[in-house]
Amino acid sequence: MAGYSGKPLAAKLGVKPGWRVLVRSPPDGYRALLQGLPEGVTLGEELAGEVEMVHLFSRSRQELA
């Protein structure tokens, strides 16, 4: 999904081909927003080895802490 800039969300986030991305507490519909991910990108919700990017969502400071 592209916003006002016309760039897909994955490009705005700087996701590169082959990256492993850890996603924690994503909102409903998150994966649908990332249509057009570069080739070989994997999204996981559990940390297993090294990752190139962490995309963390938190609803409060307390939850973040």
Side-chain angles (χ1 to χ4, degrees):
M1 177 177 194
Y4 65 90
S5 73
K7 290 176 71 173
L9 179 57
K12 290 177 186 177
L13 293 172
V15 178
K16 305 290 185 218
W19 274 17
R20 291 172 21 135
V21 180
L22 173 64
V23 181
R24 286 292 178 102
S25 304
D28 292 340
Y30 172 78
R31 288 182 185 252
L33 293 173
L34 290 178
Q35 291 180 2
L37 282 170
E39 186 175 331
V41 171
T42 57
L43 302 176
E45 294 188 24
E46 297 296 325
L47 182 58
E50 293 184 20
V51 298
E52 285 73 33
M53 178 180 168
V54 175
H55 201 180
L56 171 70
F57 296 87
S58 177
R59 295 180 189 265
S60 67
R61 285 180 176 241
Q62 182 179 0
E63 181 182 5
L64 182 59

